[in-house]
Amino acid sequence: MEIVRYADRTDRVVRVGVRRGGRVAPLSGVNEVSAFLRLPLAEIRALVEAEPGGPEVDEAQVLLLPPLDGRTEVWASGVTYERSMAARVEESSEKSVYEKVYEAERPELFLKAVAWRVVTDGEPVAIRADSGLDVPEPELGVVANAAGEIVGYVVCNDMSSRVIEGENPLYLPQAKVYAGSCAISVGIRPAWEVADATDLDITLAVVRDGRTAWKGETSTGRMRRTLETLVDYLFRGDAFPDGAFLATGTGIIPELAFTLADGDRVDIEIPQVGVLSNPVVVGKEPLTWLVDALSDPFAREVAR
């Protein structure tokens, strides 16, 4: 089961619902994920498990949207896996900062995207036109409600320019935050349906010209920090009245000789959570439809 946000192709209304086996049914009385995430976890679970608020339809009859809206933000964690630390040291002109944050009690956290900038499965992710060394970063995403309780999990792609961040760690916002830099799977897998989020496999494949150009895998069991610790630090310094999504860092990073290219496809899978597949484009121009999608969700179809 997944909690989804979708636009009905019949009446064009955006709703929040539950997807099971290729069928979607609306939740009763909830039309925004942001409103959903204002509720305590117990109420969220009761709402999801209650009788649907309308008829169930085939998912082909709806347009599945990124599962966040309103004031909900996406944040990200850095250097939570040893592989990530080693890769940052390799690429950076300031190597010690990554070693220090890996060992430190306080994690690295940064704002990744506001809701309207997020893309989802089948929509393009981008590499910056002024970069030259770019990689996907497959990550488990934690969905937290306004109280900081873990509601569920998503698949995230935290796109990154290695050359920009490597030149100077202070360039991290430019390396990480730009049009097409944040992708999230269409569904939120409820936390109570995932037996052990600390033991989830994560796989990545980059497909180029019909062939696998690079692949890798890791497990959330290799994370240095717990999911609860990362969420705790995120909520220590700020309020999230509409909840927050937190990408928990990557343990899969290609060697420096590899970079994404226009036309590639990035495939990420986390069993028990979901899949995420996105074509790769260059620059901000192919993402201009995101502005139109603010008022018309079906503007997203031009990108799929």
Side-chain angles (χ1 to χ4, degrees):
M1 175 176 65
E2 296 168 297
I3 302 159
V4 296
R5 176 172 165 263
Y6 64 95
D8 192 295
R9 295 185 184 278
T10 302
D11 58 17
R12 303 180 76 86
V13 173
V14 175
R15 295 183 172 89
V16 178
V18 173
R19 180 170 74 159
R20 295 185 183 91
R23 306 280 292 176
V24 178
L27 293 177
S28 180
V30 178
N31 292 323
E32 295 179 339
V33 178
S34 52
F36 182 78
L37 292 177
R38 294 174 202 143
L39 302 174
L41 177 59
E43 291 186 29
I44 289 173
R45 180 168 183 174
L47 185 61
V48 170
E49 294 180 341
E51 290 296 316
E56 184 181 79
V57 299
D58 189 278
E59 67 177 66
Q61 295 178 242
V62 305
L63 176 67
L64 293 169
L65 305 171
L68 70 167
D69 52 30
R71 297 171 298 180
T72 305
E73 298 170 348
V74 181
W75 284 66
S77 315
V79 200
T80 57
Y81 290 78
E82 184 176 5
R83 171 61 187 134
S84 179
M85 182 270 291
R88 300 299 178 230
V89 168
E90 182 183 14
E91 74 194 20
S92 179
S93 61
E94 301 292 337
K95 304 180 186 304
S96 65
V97 296
Y98 297 101
E99 296 168 327
K100 288 178 179 177
V101 78
Y102 180 74
E103 297 294 340
E105 179 181 351
R106 182 182 297 275
E108 177 192 13
L109 298 171
F110 55 92
L111 178 64
K112 181 67 181 180
V114 293
W116 73 270
R117 293 185 184 275
V118 175
V119 301
T120 193
D121 188 62
E123 297 174 350
V125 291
I127 53 181
R128 289 185 61 127
D130 60 353
S131 179
L133 183 56
D134 305 271
V135 292
E137 295 193 4
E139 308 183 15
L140 175 68
V142 172
V143 183
N145 65 5
E149 298 174 296
I150 296 178
V151 171
Y153 305 101
V154 292
V155 183
C156 294
N157 183 356
D158 170 18
M159 294 284 287
S160 180
S161 168
R162 297 186 72 180
V163 69
I164 292 176
E165 184 180 359
E167 184 178 345
N168 189 319
L170 295 179
Y171 294 161
L172 182 139
Q174 296 177 73
K176 293 281 193 177
V177 185
Y178 57 87
S181 66
C182 181
I184 291 178
S185 54
V186 294
I188 301 171
R189 185 69 187 272
W192 58 88
E193 290 197 345
V194 177
D196 185 3
T198 67
D199 187 27
L200 296 174
D201 293 330
I202 304 174
T203 61
L204 164 71
V206 177
V207 178
R208 180 175 297 164
D209 298 327
R211 298 183 178 182
T212 300
W214 199 90
K215 63 180 179 180
E217 61 183 25
T218 191
S219 166
T220 56
R222 297 177 183 173
M223 290 181 64
R224 184 178 182 277
R225 296 176 174 87
T226 68
L227 304 179
E228 290 77 11
T229 295
L230 294 173
V231 173
D232 174 65
Y233 268 96
L234 179 63
F235 277 72
R236 283 187 187 189
D238 217 336
F240 297 92
D242 290 350
F245 286 53
L246 177 60
T248 58
T250 189
I252 306 174
I253 301 178
E255 59 279 358
L256 282 170
F258 180 85
T259 185
L260 286 172
D262 188 21
D264 286 353
R265 190 184 76 237
V266 177
D267 296 335
I268 303 170
E269 181 176 4
I270 305 178
Q272 298 187 57
V273 177
V275 296
L276 180 61
S277 181
N278 304 94
V280 177
V281 297
V282 177
K284 66 180 184 180
E285 288 75 15
L287 278 298
T288 55
W289 53 267
L290 280 170
V291 176
D292 297 329
L294 280 166
S295 56
D296 177 13
F298 288 94
R300 311 186 76 95
E301 292 190 302
V302 303
R304 301 189 182 187

